[in-house]
Structures are given as structure tokens and as C-alpha cells.
Amino acid sequence: MSTIPITGAVDRPWILPSRGRVGMSALIVAESAIFTIFVIAYIYNIGRSISGPTPQQVLEVPIFATICLLSSSLTIWIAERALHRSNMKMFGLWWLVTWVLGVIFLGGTAVEWRKLIYQDGLTIHTNLFGTTYYSLVGLHASHVTVGLIGILTVLILTLSGKVAVRHAERIGVFALYWHFVDAVWVVVFTVVYIVGRS
Amino acid sequence: MSDRAIPIGESIDLTPPQGMAAGWLELLHDWVITVDHKKLGIMYIGYALIFLLVGGLEAMLIRVQLAVSNNHFLSPETYNRMFTMHGTTMVFLMGMPIIIGIANYLVPLMIGARDMAFPRLNAFSFWMTAFGGLLLYYSFIGGVGLYGAGSAPDVGWFAYAPLTEKAFSPGHTTDYWALALIVSGFGTIGAAVNIIATVISMRCKGMTLFRMPLLVWLNLVVASLILVTISPLTAAQIMLEIDRYLGGHFFDTQAGGSAIVWIHFFWIFGHPEVYVLVLPAFAIANEIIPVFSRKAIFGYPAMVAASVGIAFISLGVWAHHMFTVGMTSASNTFFVLSTEIVAIPTGIKIFNWLATIWGGKVRFTTAMLFCIGFLFQFLIAGLTGIMLSVAPWDWQLHNSFFVIAHFHYVLVGAITFCLFAAFYYWYPKVTGRMLDEKLGKWHFWLFVIGFHVTFDFMHIPGLLGMPRQIYTYEPGRGWDSWNMIVSLGGAVQAIAVLVFVFNLVWSYSKGTVAGADPWDAWTLEWATTSPPPVYNFAVEPVVSSRRPLWDLKHPEDPDSRYE
Amino acid sequence: MGSALLLLSATSQMGWSQTVQQTPSIFAPASTPAHQIYELSLFTLGLTGGIFVVVAGLLTYAIIRYRHRGSQDDTEPPQVYGSNQIELSWTVIPVLIVVVLFLTTTRVILAVQDAPKPPAAVEVTVTGHQFWWEFQYPKLGIVTANELHVPVSDAASPRPTYLKLLSADVDHSFWVPELNGKTDLIPNRVNETWIDPQKTGLYVGQCAQFCGKEHAKMLLRVYVQSPADFASWVKNQQQTAVQQQSVERGREVFETEACANCHTISGTTAQGRFGPDLSHFMSRATLAAGAAENTPENLRAWIKDPDTFKPGCLMPAMKLSDQEIDEVADYLATLR
Ligand code: HEA
Ligand code: HEA
Ligand code: CUA
Ligand SMILES: [Cu+2]
């Protein structure tokens, strides 16, 4: 073996951050950059549509859906705690609650879009407001969808008894993503339903 | 737990696998399914080399067309496609993959790891990138393929809207451009995530952040920069596709959309992107210059700080590409200042390289020659950059051949030179054989001469008012002879590149056998065999300084004493 | 390869009219903003040239002085790891240089961009089209194309020309190097620039922002005229187009074929806005934004098939008979 062994003294215990968490954080940074660009495009184009409808006329504030989504951050955290304590029943329960809350949120978006399209005649093609609105909210909704698919997968694995404490790290990494999706909603909500309607 | 191919922190089985006399099909299968960072690195690099030839061929067609005034060698469409494809290919299919490939190969070796943090993500990223390239080039034959109206995008590599909107760019060529870059962009982001996680979480024992080789540091910085630069481009291209396919109005100026916003978004990506390309080149110089000057790098902490500084500042200078779009004098002034501030950390780097050479014993290997060429050329390129950053002068120089000369001075004179240096330096590690030095010298001298004949003289037509992206020009403008010289220089570069390719192929089987450490170097990759085994290190290394092999070779005066 | 290029140069066709032998050099300024930029550029060149000489000199010295001599010697040189004082000094000096350069630059930015507009200024609205220029003088009631006429402006009584820049389709950029740097024409946006040429004569330039297939042939000419010449040019342009009996047929063809949909000829039913205004077409030296010299043969060839000069331009070949072409061309030739 021509490899030269390199040995030296290690003065302290060698502990490095988990690669899952580092990787997910990096991904979240990249995702944030994408959202930032869409948010900037939204803000820049507020009030620039040359035809109606305007946000003031047609947008309603989705308070209930927002509460659902934000509280799902809490429930996923409770589920995680349960997993750490190896309490699989509680884990499954709170995980399910998280999923249901996410689905309600997505359902809320669907109902809202249905109203906008069929009642108010606002599509992505109608005007700049439509273009920016559907893009930004749609980008967020697609992230929620990805998250829900992930949650569902874990749920199924849990029900079939394949999830255990040793997966806590991975579940934790996944939960980071879900918290991110929630946090982004706070921004999207502020921009679209508060700044954009005023 | 199967997303690591090699156990980490556990012992491994070193008995060579039996019955490996595989046929080519198995070999191919082996490469396609591999998750080994070294094989993926090699594939990235091979892929990039092919596109260097393709992009170079396009450049040659451009140069033939411009060699004389009023030339009819290429039609206007073809010319426009050529520079669009040339720019896009060189930046996204040559530059990005090759720097990622080098990082992929070297970073785990240099930090004493057995693989990247996420080997399967690594393979996924490569194949995304590869697919993006194929998609872009499929546009050439897409004419009779999927949707009709193909034959390559022709909107320039920065694809300013609204020229890219359906109204002005019917057909699907622009869609190929956007979709191909979105796809390869995902690959790039995946690779960046992977590099960051690897550097943070996979270092061997004793490899603290400030003991990492500078190449690793710079790749960490670059990967972080990629996260925030590629994604704006992806976002903008998604918006463009929303406009083109769903009838959106982001950049549709007829419906109140904005042309300026695209320009901002593109350069918010585009400016940091050029530092994404140049920092890995710096990284290469950081490894090679010390070894062939036989001295430790001068001012390691300053080098790290300067790289981080460049990355940060580069996020706030993008509008220096937009001095002519009619910004207020206040914004123009701001971007002049921010752009010129970049000169300070960059200067620190140049001076530290100078100080590394100072007092050393410089060995003129081919790799070192390319690095020396890089130092001079980057200096000049940076100074022409400073000229461009002087906004009023940029009102004249913008979109002229002066700008083309400036950025080829960096992209070819700095980056490509460093890449060639990297080939001469690490080829022995990758293949176990040395690249031929004599051919290497031929390659170097032909390329330097070709480079200077091409790009030195290219500044002049720019100063004489010649705009870029024009397929031909009037006789009598005084641009003819300059362009002819430039084109001839291009031909010399092409010969040099062919010598290089020949050297790569020839040395693979005929080169002298290298051994583990042919350059008497100091970083960890030279501690393992050439080529390294799948698991990189039989015994996981433990380091106690920046130059573990120096410590080994000079136990009386180890580095650890100075840190 | 080289010989192939030479061959090409020998055989390259003589298609393009060689009307002017002029290099639009940025180092031959003929207008205040161009002049200020020119001086700034000399200053910058000097500064960067100085930096180059010092740094390249040090590099060359180091490489020669510290080259490895004698293959016997394989001891390592003394290892130096860095020095904070030195790092500091080569941080501070560039900082000072940057401050100086920045302040100088700012002065010129303000001088050019925020120059007050004198009331005597001539105002022109420039609209970029794929691939030609439209010039309107709103106060003078003139519409013309591709060749801009402005009065000379002398230091005693400055009469600069202010250009309002618009675009009808995609991004373009107005660039006449000897008069000023470029400013873009961007749809949905109003930009402004100004020139005050101090010498009469012809200044050439061209579109400097890639705008599609024929971006290369979107050339620009600026005629700087003495006050008297400019006044008589204005007078001529303000008249409605002349109508001569002898070319009645050509006018009919023009008005009945699609020409009239895209072109305006004042005083006739032709009021199209998609192409250049042709009311005083013969007052222009070139055809289609400098794609060819404005001669009778070229005009005929243009009407027959615009692609001979400008493949990919937005005027279609109208498939007229040779006789119709002659008639239209004769008609256009009277529009002085
Ligand atoms: C990797 C590539 C790379 C790099 C590293 C750079 C580096 C720099 N670039 Fe360049 N640039 C490009 C690639 C690059 N550029 C490309 C591709 C384009 C055109 C894109 C397109 O339009 O298609 C472009 C265009 C471009 C423009 C816009 C031109 C225009 O279109 O109008 C400007 C304007 O400011 C600019 C400036 C600079 C500056 C100030 C630096 C600085 O980073 C340079 C800093 C270095 C030095 C200054 C030298 C060393 C320092 C010292 C020795 C210290 C002492 C010096 C001083 C105090 C001055 N560049
Ligand atoms: C890393 C990036 C990179 C690199 C390496 C290069 C390399 C070269 N470039 Fe490139 N260039 C760009 C990035 C790059 N360029 C970009 C971003 C643009 C802007 C595009 C735009 O405006 O949209 C541009 C634009 C550009 C133009 C301006 C076109 C125009 O605006 O009208 C020109 C003109 O001379 C040019 C020339 C060259 C030349 C001669 C080389 C040479 O150095 C090339 C040397 C290499 C070779 C010569 C390859 C040799 C091999 C063969 C010839 C064999 C081929 C064989 C097979 C394929 C089997 N380039
Ligand atoms: Cu108009 Cu280029
Ligand atoms: Cu830049």
C-alpha cells in the first residue's frame, strides 16, 4: 500500500454538524433566493396592471387557512418531540394533524383560486396582477404540495411501523423544510394580502 | 442508511473485488450508476471538455465571419445563434461543470473524506446538468423534432426581454434556452448543497476550518454563492416561461410588464456568476503557486477573508452592467463605488500570490507557467474591469468589443489558464500518469501567443466604436485589420487546444508513471495512491496543520508551529 | 485556417455601400459629454496604467529573481506565513486609489447626467424600431428617420440637442461615439440624453443593444449643420410631400399596394406608422438605416426584395411587377 498514513494528535473530541441539517439549510437558502425574486417581482408590479381586476376588488384575506398552516409548524414540532421520546402513538397522531392542517391550507388556496377564476375572471393571463399573484402563491403552494407528499410518505411508513427513534434526525431535517414553507407564507401573506391590497 | 457508498468512520474491506475483467458494457453501466465522487468529477470534467471544443468551434465560426467586413460566410440568424450558443455553452456547459467537477474530485480528497456528503444527490446533480446540456443542443435539431421551429436560440446569452417574449421570438428556441438552463441550474444547486455539506460535515479528524486547504475554502465560498445566484436566474427563467407558455405578462411590455426587471434579475445572477467562475480558478492558483514556489501560501487568513469579501461585495454590484439603461445619477454613483471596492480584496489576492513567489524557488513546470500567465492576465483584466466600472466611460464602452475583450481576458486569460494548470497538476493524481511536459510547453506557448494576439487586439475595435453581437460591419470604419488579427489569433488558440487534447489522450497510456506524490506537494490528496482507491484513504487521516505532508516531510519544522 | 481567412477577405462581396470612410472613435470627441468622458478616460487609463506597471513589474522581478537555479539545490526556501503589517499596507493603498477614482467619476456622472437643460435646446424624440430609428421634432412638427439633423452648438451660444429615447418594440441603444456615450431605448420607459456637437459634419454610430436579426444594420447618422443649413433643412422637412403629376402612377401603386399601410407620406392617404416616414425620403443619403446608399438602383432592389440588403428586416417583399417597381421608385425619387 503506497498510501501514506497521516496521523496526528486530536486535541478535542471531533464532532461535526449533521450533514442533513447543513444540506437542508443550504437548500433553504437557495429556495429563499427564488422566493425573494418572485416577491420582488410582485412588489414591483403592484398597481402596474393596465386593466382590472385589482387586488382590492377581488382578494379576500385567507385568515383561517393561514392559521392552519402556521399551527402546523407547532404540531410538527410536537410530533418531533414525541418521536424523541419514542412515543410512536403521539408521533403518528401529531404527524397526522400536521398533514391535515396542510391539506386544509391547500384546499383553501384551491377554493380561493376557483373563486378568482370563475367568479372574478382573473387568470394568469388577465393582467399583471394575475400573473404575479398566481406565480407567487402558486410557487408557495407547490412547495406545500411537496411537503405534504413528504409528510404523507412518513405517515404511511409510521403506520406500517417502519419509523423509529433512530430516524429522528432525518425527520428533524424534513421538519426544517416544513418550517421554511410556513415562514415563507408569512412573507407571501404580508406581501400579497396586506401590502398588495392597501 | 444507504446513501453513503463508503462507510464513514468505520473500517472497510480492502480486498480487491474479484473477476473485474469487465466488458465495455459493464464498464459503461459502472459509470452510469456510479455515485463515487471521483468518477462523477471525471464525468463532469469530460463533459465540460467536450463543450469547450463545441463552444470553441462556435467561437471559430464567429471569428471567421468577423475577419473581414461585409462578410457573407454566416447568415444573420446563424451568427446570432452562434454567439448565443457560444456564450451559453462556455458559461453553463463548460465553466460551471468543470469547476464543479474539480471540486467534486478534490474537495473530499483534500479534507480526508471518503466521499461527498450525499453521493446519490451528487450523481443526480451530474445527470441533471448533463441533461440540461443535451436539451440545449437538441434545439439545433428540434426544428423537425418535438414542436417545430428549432435551430438554436438567438437572443444572446443574457436574453434581454422583451426580445425573448413570444411576440418577438416565436417558435421554441428561447424555450430550449430557458428550460435547459433551469434543468442544469437544479443540478448546479444540488452540487452546491452537496459541497457545502461535505465541507462542513465530512472533514477528517483535526481538519478545522482554518486548516482546510484554500481550494476547499474557496469552493465553500463558491458553493454558498451559487445558492444565491443561480436561483434568481432560475426564478427569472420560470417567469419567462410563464409568459411564453401561460400568457403571463412579467416581461410583456405591451401589457405593462417591465423590460428593466429582466435586466436586473439577469445581472443579479450574472454578476455574482462571474465570481462563481473565477473563484475556483483562484482556488487552483492557491494550490499550485505555493507548491512550485516551494513556499507556504502567504497570508492564509487574508486570502480567506478576501474570498469571502469578494463573494459578499459581488452581490451588490450587478447594475454596473446597466449603466446605460438610464438609472439616476445616484444609483450610477452607488454602483460605481461598490464595483470599485471589489478591487481591494482582489488586490489583496494578487499581492499575496506575489508575496508567495517572493523569496521562493520557482519551478517552471507547465502548471506553474499557466499560473504565471494567469497572474499577469488577470491583472490586466481586472484593470480593464476598473475602466468599465467608471460609469461615464462605460457609456462609451458598454456593449462594445472592449467589453468582449475585458471578459475574455478573465474567462480565457484567467479561468481557462487556471483550468489548464489544474489539468497539468492533478492529471497524475487522476490517471496515475504524468501529462507530457514537452507537449505541455508547446500547448502553453501556443495558447499564450494565440490568447494575446486575439484578446489584446480585440480591445481596439471596441475603442473605435465597434459594437458586439453584430453579424457584420461596414467597410471603411477602420475595424477590418484589427478583426483580421483577432481572428488569426483565434486560430492559434485552436491549435493549442488541439495539442492539449492530444496530450490528454496520449499521456493516458504513454505518460510516465506518476506515483503518489510527483510534485512533492503538501495537501492530503497526495497522501493516497494515484489514482486514489474508491475509498480514498485506507486509514482515515488525522491532521494537525494546514500542510500535513509538509509536517511529515519536515518533522523538525512543522507548520503546526506557526498557526 | 489563416490562409482560408485571407481567401475570404479577397472574395468578400462588395455589397455594402462604401458611403463614408469614418471611424467612430471614442477618442475623437466632438461634443461636451463625449469630451468629459474622454478626459475621464485618460485619467483612468493613467491610473490603471500606473498600477499595471508597478504590479506587473514586481511580478516579473519576483519570477526572475526567485526562479529555481541549479538542479543540485533541493533544499526548501525559508517558509514565510504572512505579515499583518504588509497585508494592511496593501489594503490601504488600493482603498485610497479607489476613493480618488470614485470621486473623479462621480464628478463626471453629475456633470453629464444632471446638466441643466437650456431653453434654446432642440428637442427630439427618438423611437427605436426593429431595425430603424424614428426621429420626431415635436416643437418643429417634423418626423423623419435614420438620419438625425442637429444644429451646431458653439460655446458662446450653446444650442444642445436633447433626445428623448423610447422604443416601439424591444431594447435598443443610441450610440454615436464622437458625440456621447450610449443610452438605451427601452419599451415602457423614457430615457434622456443630450449632445452639443461643436463642429459641423457627419457623425456615424449604430444601435448598440442586440435587438434581433438585423441589429448589425441598424446604423445611425447625425448631420451637424450650421444654423443656416439646419434652418433650411427644417423648413424643407416641414413642408408636405411634393406631388408631381409625372409620377402619378407610382403614387397610385404606393397607395393601393400595402405600402401605405406601413409608411406615411404627408399629404396623401398613406399614413402607416410601422415603417419610416417617406415624406422627404430623398433628403436621406442612405436607405433602411444605412443598409445601402440611397441610389435609384438600390431603391429598386430594396422595393423588389428588402432582404437583398437586410435579410430578416420587417419590410416584406411586395411582389410587384418590374414596371410597378420602376413607377414606385420614380415616385419616391421625387420626394425631396
Ligand atoms: C470571471 C469573470 C469576470 C471577472 C473576475 C470580472 C471582474 C471585474 N469586472 Fe467584469 N465582466 C465579465 C466577467 C468578469 N469580470 C463578463 C462576462 C462581463 C460581460 C457580460 C456581458 O455583457 O455579456 C463583464 C462586464 C463587466 C462590466 C460591464 C461592462 C458593460 O457591459 O458595460 C463591468 C463594469 O463595471 C465590469 C467590471 C469588472 C470589475 C471592476 C471587475 C473586478 O473584479 C476586477 C478586480 C481586479 C483588479 C482591479 C486587479 C487587481 C487589483 C489590484 C492590483 C489592486 C489595485 C487596483 C486598484 C486599486 C484599481 N465587468
Ligand atoms: C468561459 C467562457 C468563454 C470562453 C472560454 C470563450 C472563448 C472564446 N471566445 Fe467567447 N464569449 C463568451 C464566453 C467565452 N468565450 C461569452 C459569455 C460571450 C458573450 C455571448 C453573447 O454576447 O451572447 C462570448 C462572445 C464572444 C465573441 C463576441 C461575439 C459577438 O458579440 O458578436 C467573440 C468574438 O470574437 C468570442 C470569441 C472567443 C474566442 C476566439 C475564444 C477562444 O478562446 C476559444 C478557444 C477554444 C477553441 C478554439 C476550441 C478549439 C478546438 C477546436 C476548434 C476543435 C473543434 C473540434 C471538435 C468540435 C471536434 N466570444
Ligand atoms: Cu436596435 Cu440593436
Ligand atoms: Cu459584472
Side-chain angles (χ1 to χ4, degrees):
Chain A
M1 202 82 249
S2 63
T3 309
I4 312 165
I6 302 285
T7 49
V10 204
D11 27 17
R12 47 200 153 102
W14 192 245
I15 300 162
L16 294 170
S18 114
R19 62 203 162 101
R21 274 173 199 277
V22 173
M24 182 54 82
S25 313
L27 186 69
I28 286 175
V29 171
E31 292 270 30
S32 310
I34 294 189
F35 273 101
T36 307
I37 295 295
F38 273 88
V39 166
I40 292 173
Y42 193 92
I43 294 176
Y44 179 86
N45 284 309
I46 290 174
R48 282 179 193 258
S49 300
I50 52 182
S51 63
T54 65
Q56 290 87 335
Q57 290 163 348
V58 296
L59 277 194
E60 282 156 26
V61 183
I63 291 179
F64 178 63
T66 302
I67 291 174
C68 287
L69 188 66
L70 295 189
S71 42
S72 74
S73 253
L74 188 67
T75 57
I76 204 170
W77 179 74
I78 298 175
E80 254 190 281
R81 295 292 307 261
L83 182 61
H84 273 287
R85 279 181 276 107
S86 210
N87 188 342
M88 294 317 293
K89 272 237 178 63
M90 287 307 275
F91 170 73
L93 182 68
W94 285 104
W95 198 256
L96 177 68
V97 173
T98 307
W99 188 73
V100 171
L101 288 172
V103 169
I104 294 176
F105 173 82
L106 210 55
T109 306
V111 171
E112 186 184 357
W113 283 25
R114 197 188 139 82
K115 166 187 169 291
L116 288 174
I117 294 171
Y118 292 104
Q119 238 165 291
D120 306 317
L122 179 78
T123 67
I124 200 163
H125 180 61
T126 312
N127 60 12
L128 262 172
F129 163 53
T131 304
T132 50
Y133 167 80
Y134 286 109
S135 310
L136 180 55
V137 175
L139 184 70
H140 179 261
S142 66
H143 281 76
V144 176
T145 310
V146 170
L148 287 178
I149 293 172
I151 296 179
L152 188 61
T153 315
V154 174
L155 194 60
I156 292 170
L157 289 175
T158 311
L159 293 182
S160 51
K162 296 227 174 68
V163 176
V165 191
R166 68 193 147 82
H167 298 118
E169 176 65 24
R170 289 176 172 214
I171 302 273
V173 169
F174 177 80
L176 272 182
Y177 174 81
W178 190 251
H179 292 309
F180 164 70
V181 170
D182 279 7
V184 167
W185 179 250
V186 176
V187 176
V188 173
F189 181 84
T190 314
V191 168
V192 173
Y193 296 97
I194 298 178
V195 179
R197 268 171 90 248
S198 59
Chain B
M1 299 299 285
S2 59
D3 67 346
R4 25 168 98 156
I6 313 286
I8 286 149
E10 296 157 35
S11 61
I12 47 180
D13 178 15
L14 294 185
T15 42
Q18 298 298 306
M20 273 296 280
W24 67 270
L25 213 77
E26 272 144 86
L27 205 68
L28 186 69
H29 181 249
D30 214 43
W31 281 86
V32 170
I33 61 155
T34 188
V35 294
D36 174 15
H37 74 97
K38 294 181 291 301
K39 281 190 173 168
L40 285 165
I42 293 171
M43 285 203 283
Y44 266 117
I45 294 167
Y47 167 88
L49 273 181
I50 293 170
F51 278 114
L52 173 69
L53 294 182
V54 174
L57 191 70
E58 285 155 353
M60 291 302 104
L61 296 177
I62 291 174
R63 283 323 315 175
V64 173
Q65 169 71 9
L66 291 184
V68 294
S69 55
N70 200 22
N71 197 347
H72 295 268
F73 174 71
L74 297 179
S75 69
E77 296 93 322
T78 316
Y79 184 86
N80 297 345
R81 285 171 188 149
M82 283 306 119
F83 68 70
T84 306
M85 291 300 273
H86 165 70
T88 309
T89 303
M90 286 298 202
V91 171
F92 295 100
L93 310 183
M94 193 287 275
M96 298 299 286
I98 207 162
I99 60 155
I100 290 172
I102 291 176
N104 234 302
Y105 196 97
L106 291 177
V107 165
L109 282 169
M110 283 189 161
I111 58 172
R114 282 180 174 160
D115 206 325
M116 299 280 277
F118 310 107
R120 287 189 300 191
L121 173 64
N122 202 11
F124 176 74
S125 304
F126 169 74
W127 290 107
M128 287 292 270
T129 306
F131 179 66
L134 294 182
L135 190 61
L136 184 65
Y137 271 83
Y138 183 73
S139 66
F140 271 110
I141 48 171
V144 284
L146 285 178
Y147 296 111
S151 291
D154 57 357
V155 288
W157 86 287
F158 40 63
Y160 277 6
L163 187 62
T164 47
E165 290 283 296
K166 263 270 183 301
F168 303 105
S169 174
H172 293 277
T173 57
T174 304
D175 301 314
Y176 280 112
W177 179 83
L179 292 172
L181 295 190
I182 290 174
V183 169
S184 75
F186 286 145
T188 309
I189 291 174
V193 166
N194 214 338
I195 291 172
I196 292 174
T198 306
V199 175
I200 302 283
S201 307
M202 309 289 285
R203 284 167 286 137
C204 70
K205 288 203 180 69
M207 180 71 76
T208 58
L209 283 179
F210 278 90
R211 282 181 191 157
M212 296 192 310
L214 279 177
L215 183 139
V216 177
W217 252 113
L218 266 73
N219 275 297
L220 176 63
V221 173
V222 167
S224 318
L225 199 53
I226 285 177
L227 295 181
V228 291
T229 51
I230 297 289
S231 8
L233 178 69
T234 306
Q237 285 171 326
I238 291 173
M239 291 178 194
L240 180 63
E241 288 304 293
I242 288 175
D243 277 10
R244 290 180 60 90
Y245 276 125
L246 303 178
H249 307 293
F250 280 108
F251 311 116
D252 172 8
T253 47
Q254 317 286 329
S258 171
I260 291 281
V261 164
W262 172 272
I263 307 181
H264 275 293
F265 286 172
F266 187 86
W267 292 116
I268 285 175
F269 146 78
H271 183 83
E273 167 69 12
V274 304
Y275 293 98
V276 166
L277 290 172
V278 88
L279 286 174
F282 292 169
I284 292 165
N286 281 336
E287 296 305 318
I288 296 178
I289 292 177
V291 168
F292 293 118
S293 305
R294 307 307 305 159
K295 269 180 70 212
I297 187 86
F298 190 91
Y300 175 101
M303 287 300 237
V304 172
S307 311
V308 176
I310 291 176
F312 266 104
I313 302 168
S314 77
L315 296 175
V317 308
W318 75 88
H320 68 215
H321 297 269
M322 306 171 55
F323 285 139
T324 65
V325 303
M327 294 187 296
T328 60
S329 49
S331 328
N332 278 338
T333 313
F334 171 80
F335 284 104
V336 168
L337 183 60
S338 63
T339 303
E340 286 171 359
I341 286 177
V342 181
I344 296 160
T346 318
I348 293 179
K349 288 188 157 273
I350 298 239
F351 298 131
N352 277 309
W353 286 318
L354 173 63
T356 305
I357 293 174
W358 203 275
K361 292 182 177 172
V362 181
R363 284 167 169 76
F364 296 105
T365 56
T366 309
M368 186 62 179
L369 286 178
F370 273 109
C371 282
I372 291 173
F374 151 79
L375 286 176
F376 284 97
Q377 284 144 204
F378 182 67
L379 174 64
I380 298 174
L383 294 174
T384 55
I386 293 299
M387 300 179 201
L388 292 168
S389 75
V390 173
W393 201 5
D394 184 73
W395 297 333
Q396 291 283 19
L397 298 174
H398 176 67
N399 275 358
S400 77
F401 261 80
F402 190 91
V403 174
I404 305 279
H406 155 69
F407 71 71
H408 282 87
Y409 237 91
V410 203
L411 293 170
V412 182
I415 297 172
T416 312
F417 267 67
C418 280
L419 292 175
F420 284 144
F423 272 99
Y424 285 90
Y425 186 67
W426 279 293
Y427 187 88
K429 179 51 57 186
V430 176
T431 63
R433 286 179 189 268
M434 311 291 282
L435 275 176
D436 188 69
E437 279 286 307
K438 200 152 167 211
L439 282 172
K441 297 275 156 60
W442 273 100
H443 170 205
F444 172 74
W445 287 109
L446 280 172
F447 201 67
V448 186
I449 294 169
F451 168 82
H452 283 281
V453 172
T454 309
F455 296 113
D456 293 7
F457 290 99
M458 195 186 267
H459 292 89
I460 298 169
L463 297 171
L464 299 181
M466 178 170 172
R468 67 195 284 195
Q469 301 175 327
I470 53 170
Y471 70 88
T472 189
Y473 50 95
E474 256 187 318
R477 293 244 161 165
W479 304 336
D480 286 67
S481 21
W482 302 117
N483 276 298
M484 176 56 83
I485 297 172
V486 169
S487 296
L488 292 174
V492 179
Q493 285 184 62
I495 299 169
V497 173
L498 291 179
V499 170
F500 167 65
V501 172
F502 175 76
N503 199 353
L504 284 185
V505 176
W506 187 84
S507 301
Y508 186 74
S509 48
K510 302 276 167 52
T512 40
V513 175
D517 182 18
W519 307 118
D520 195 3
W522 304 310
T523 38
L524 277 183
E525 78 273 28
W526 305 104
T528 183
T529 50
S530 308
V534 191
Y535 44 83
N536 292 352
F537 300 96
V539 182
E540 284 197 19
V542 179
V543 300
S544 45
S545 82
R546 278 174 207 150
R547 294 190 297 169
L549 268 67
W550 169 274
D551 292 1
L552 207 68
K553 293 167 188 168
H554 303 269
E556 74 293 349
D557 188 24
D559 256 13
S560 35
R561 220 183 266 171
Y562 302 93
E563 281 160 17
Chain C
M1 185 106 207
S3 58
L5 288 175
L6 286 175
L7 202 90
L8 259 169
S9 84
T11 56
S12 117
Q13 300 161 36
M14 295 289 299
W16 208 325
S17 56
Q18 259 169 303
T19 43
V20 273
Q21 295 279 341
Q22 191 169 351
T23 302
S25 166
I26 68 169
F27 290 137
S31 156
T32 305
H35 209 87
Q36 286 168 326
I37 295 173
Y38 170 67
E39 275 170 3
L40 179 62
S41 73
L42 292 188
F43 174 78
T44 313
L45 261 181
L47 197 72
T48 48
I51 296 172
F52 173 75
V53 169
V54 172
V55 180
L58 285 171
L59 268 174
T60 313
Y61 173 79
I63 287 161
I64 295 174
R65 166 75 177 74
Y66 297 107
R67 69 187 186 279
H68 180 235
R69 306 162 212 239
S71 44
Q72 262 67 38
D73 172 24
D74 52 5
T75 57
E76 305 281 21
Q79 301 294 307
V80 183
Y81 296 88
S83 146
N84 286 341
Q85 282 90 336
I86 300 181
E87 297 288 349
L88 195 65
S89 67
W90 62 46
T91 310
V92 170
I93 296 171
V95 169
L96 297 177
I97 300 177
V98 164
V99 169
V100 171
L101 188 60
F102 166 68
L103 292 177
T104 323
T105 308
T106 306
R107 229 194 59 229
V108 180
I109 292 180
L110 297 179
V112 174
Q113 251 190 301
D114 298 349
K117 176 156 135 189
V122 177
E123 285 177 24
V124 184
T125 303
V126 183
T127 310
H129 295 260
Q130 277 181 326
F131 307 97
W132 58 282
W133 307 89
E134 181 178 347
F135 299 118
Q136 293 174 334
Y137 297 65
K139 285 194 188 150
L140 303 173
I142 296 174
V143 182
T144 180
N146 299 333
E147 297 180 4
L148 180 65
H149 289 247
V150 302
V152 73
S153 166
D154 62 61
S157 59
R159 198 175 170 203
T161 302
Y162 272 71
L163 305 166
K164 203 165 134 189
L165 305 171
L166 313 171
S167 166
D169 36 47
V170 301
D171 297 357
H172 305 270
S173 190
F174 184 94
W175 189 26
V176 185
E178 285 153 301
L179 301 183
N180 195 347
K182 55 186 79 62
T183 310
D184 296 352
L185 299 82
I186 295 171
N188 263 356
R189 186 183 172 94
V190 183
N191 277 338
E192 202 167 77
T193 186
W194 63 284
I195 54 178
D196 65 340
Q198 267 122 23
K199 248 180 45 215
T200 56
L202 167 62
Y203 298 92
V204 294
Q206 70 191 83
C207 175
Q209 176 61 55
F210 182 67
C211 52
K213 223 175 262 176
E214 278 299 331
H215 159 64
K217 291 196 177 173
M218 185 163 168
L219 309 189
L220 245 176
R221 285 167 170 240
V222 179
Y223 287 93
V224 177
Q225 297 175 305
S226 67
D229 287 352
F230 181 67
S232 74
W233 178 82
V234 166
K235 196 136 174 278
N236 181 50
Q237 296 288 318
Q238 283 170 334
Q239 264 137 39
T240 46
V242 288
Q243 303 301 340
Q244 289 181 13
Q245 281 305 304
S246 57
V247 291
E248 195 62 30
R249 266 296 298 152
R251 188 177 140 195
E252 264 165 40
V253 175
F254 194 90
E255 288 176 4
T256 51
E257 294 292 334
C259 314
N261 294 343
C262 296
H263 293 282
T264 297
I265 296 178
S266 55
T268 75
T269 58
Q271 295 295 330
R273 297 292 313 273
F274 186 74
D277 186 305
L278 299 177
S279 309
H280 302 278
F281 172 63
M282 284 314 283
S283 69
R284 302 205 266 275
T286 60
L287 199 61
E293 223 174 321
N294 190 359
T295 63
E297 307 82 71
N298 284 346
L299 180 55
R300 270 189 207 98
W302 171 263
I303 298 169
K304 191 169 163 71
D305 183 10
D307 279 3
T308 40
F309 298 117
K310 228 173 157 172
C313 78
L314 296 189
M315 167 159 156
M318 304 298 299
K319 308 224 166 27
L320 304 184
S321 70
D322 281 352
Q323 196 203 336
E324 285 171 320
I325 289 174
D326 285 343
E327 286 164 353
V328 173
D330 287 348
Y331 167 56
L332 292 179
T334 63
L335 301 175
R336 311 217 145 259

